[in-house]
Amino acid sequence: MVSHKHKFIFLHIPKCAGTSIGETLNSHFDEYWNYSGFKIHHDDLTEEMLQEYFVFTIVRNPWDRLYSQYKFRPWLNCEPFENTVYNLEEKFEAAYNKSVRNIPEHINPKLDTAYNRANWYDEFVHIPSQVEFLNGKYNDNMKKISYIDYIGRFEDLDNSWKYICNKLNIEYSELPHKNKSEYKELDYRKAYTSETKEFVAKKYSEDIKLFNYEF
């Protein structure tokens, strides 16, 4: 989400309360007709904008984030969780009937705008780690991490949101919970075996190290 008028950029990482924040910001600033759909992860950004604007994002424990992804999508949670842990990429490619690994040559030159990238990659932005997402994988390949002014945490969302409100000079109000995943178990840890826990630790090791997460 980009506001040129108010000079801020919200980097919306999937499954990190982004829709709740984006829709609420939109209600304050009326930046978009409708803050929804696949394009919300694909802003057209420049280095100059990243340098000049207040850039912020929200991150989430990788084990919890993956489990939320699983519970959110019926075509994932119809099978055992471990199938998603080990085969996330294949399941997305099957669900959307196209591959992010072998993009046809006639498509490659057309991925030069946010709209075209979103139109091709759409839900595939849910696949990469948070570090990969912030560095533009399945998007613009721009390394944005060094430009981020504030990294909030899903686990401390209310305080993170209060800080954002203060920086943007808007009145604080409690965030609505949008795109909520339905958990039968409130503790994501109960969904993991020692093997799947370790697999995710290796797969998302950059997130765990950079954002200092533990299982």
Side-chain angles (χ1 to χ4, degrees), residues 41-139:
H41 303 299
H42 295 269
D43 292 308
D44 271 325
L45 303 174
T46 66
E47 186 176 0
E48 182 179 9
M49 289 160 55
L50 289 165
Q51 289 175 333
E52 293 182 359
Y53 293 8
F54 172 60
V55 183
F56 62 97
T57 192
I58 301 290
V59 298
R60 186 173 186 173
N61 182 299
W63 289 279
D64 184 28
R65 180 171 175 257
L66 180 56
Y67 187 58
S68 176
Q69 179 82 270
Y70 168 74
K71 296 302 291 183
F72 181 67
R73 299 178 184 276
W75 48 268
L76 288 179
N77 62 51
C78 63
E79 299 182 7
F81 177 52
E82 66 178 20
N83 290 354
T84 293
V85 173
Y86 295 132
N87 303 290
L88 183 65
E89 290 81 2
E90 291 85 350
K91 288 183 175 296
F92 266 79
E93 289 175 3
Y96 295 99
N97 196 30
K98 59 185 178 182
S99 173
V100 296
R101 305 168 193 226
N102 299 299
I103 300 175
E105 290 186 5
H106 71 281
I107 295 293
N108 278 320
K110 298 181 180 179
L111 300 180
D112 57 343
T113 67
Y115 179 82
N116 287 336
R117 288 191 297 269
N119 193 47
W120 176 261
Y121 289 124
D122 47 50
E123 292 295 298
F124 289 137
V125 292
H126 289 75
I127 295 175
S129 70
Q130 294 165 90
V131 169
E132 289 174 326
F133 178 87
L134 293 171
N135 283 334
K137 188 170 184 178
Y138 305 149
N139 192 345

Side-chain angles (χ1 to χ4, degrees), residues 5-204:
K5 180 178 180 180
H6 301 280
K7 294 190 179 300
F8 72 79
I9 297 171
F10 170 44
L11 300 175
H12 179 167
I13 301 173
K15 300 308 296 175
C16 292
T19 301
S20 299
I21 290 174
E23 288 190 359
T24 304
L25 289 175
N26 196 39
S27 70
H28 283 278
F29 298 116
D30 194 24
E31 296 290 334
Y32 299 84
W33 285 106
N34 183 26
Y35 188 81
S36 64
F38 53 75
K39 192 181 182 299
I40 59 179
H41 303 299
H42 295 269
D43 292 308
D44 271 325
L45 303 174
T46 66
E47 186 176 0
E48 182 179 9
M49 289 160 55
L50 289 165
Q51 289 175 333
E52 293 182 359
Y53 293 8
F54 172 60
V55 183
F56 62 97
T57 192
I58 301 290
V59 298
R60 186 173 186 173
N61 182 299
W63 289 279
D64 184 28
R65 180 171 175 257
L66 180 56
Y67 187 58
S68 176
Q69 179 82 270
Y70 168 74
K71 296 302 291 183
F72 181 67
R73 299 178 184 276
W75 48 268
L76 288 179
N77 62 51
C78 63
E79 299 182 7
F81 177 52
E82 66 178 20
N83 290 354
T84 293
V85 173
Y86 295 132
N87 303 290
L88 183 65
E89 290 81 2
E90 291 85 350
K91 288 183 175 296
F92 266 79
E93 289 175 3
Y96 295 99
N97 196 30
K98 59 185 178 182
S99 173
V100 296
R101 305 168 193 226
N102 299 299
I103 300 175
E105 290 186 5
H106 71 281
I107 295 293
N108 278 320
K110 298 181 180 179
L111 300 180
D112 57 343
T113 67
Y115 179 82
N116 287 336
R117 288 191 297 269
N119 193 47
W120 176 261
Y121 289 124
D122 47 50
E123 292 295 298
F124 289 137
V125 292
H126 289 75
I127 295 175
S129 70
Q130 294 165 90
V131 169
E132 289 174 326
F133 178 87
L134 293 171
N135 283 334
K137 188 170 184 178
Y138 305 149
N139 192 345
D140 53 16
N141 292 315
M142 292 182 64
K143 298 186 182 300
K144 308 174 189 72
I145 291 179
S146 62
Y147 296 102
I148 298 175
D149 300 295
Y150 177 69
I151 298 177
R153 291 185 176 263
F154 182 89
E155 297 78 18
D156 190 27
L157 186 58
D158 191 56
N159 284 324
S160 297
W161 175 236
K162 286 178 181 177
Y163 180 89
I164 293 166
C165 289
N166 183 61
K167 288 291 293 185
L168 299 181
N169 196 29
I170 61 177
E171 184 178 356
Y172 164 81
S173 60
E174 186 175 350
L175 280 172
H177 198 160
K178 301 285 186 176
N179 290 350
K180 181 179 180 181
S181 299
E182 296 299 329
Y183 285 55
K184 290 184 179 179
E185 293 287 355
L186 294 179
D187 189 348
Y188 66 87
R189 298 173 185 85
K190 295 181 180 179
Y192 284 89
T193 64
S194 58
E195 291 78 14
T196 53
K197 171 187 171 183
E198 183 61 25
F199 184 89
V200 170
K202 291 179 179 179
K203 184 174 185 177
Y204 299 118

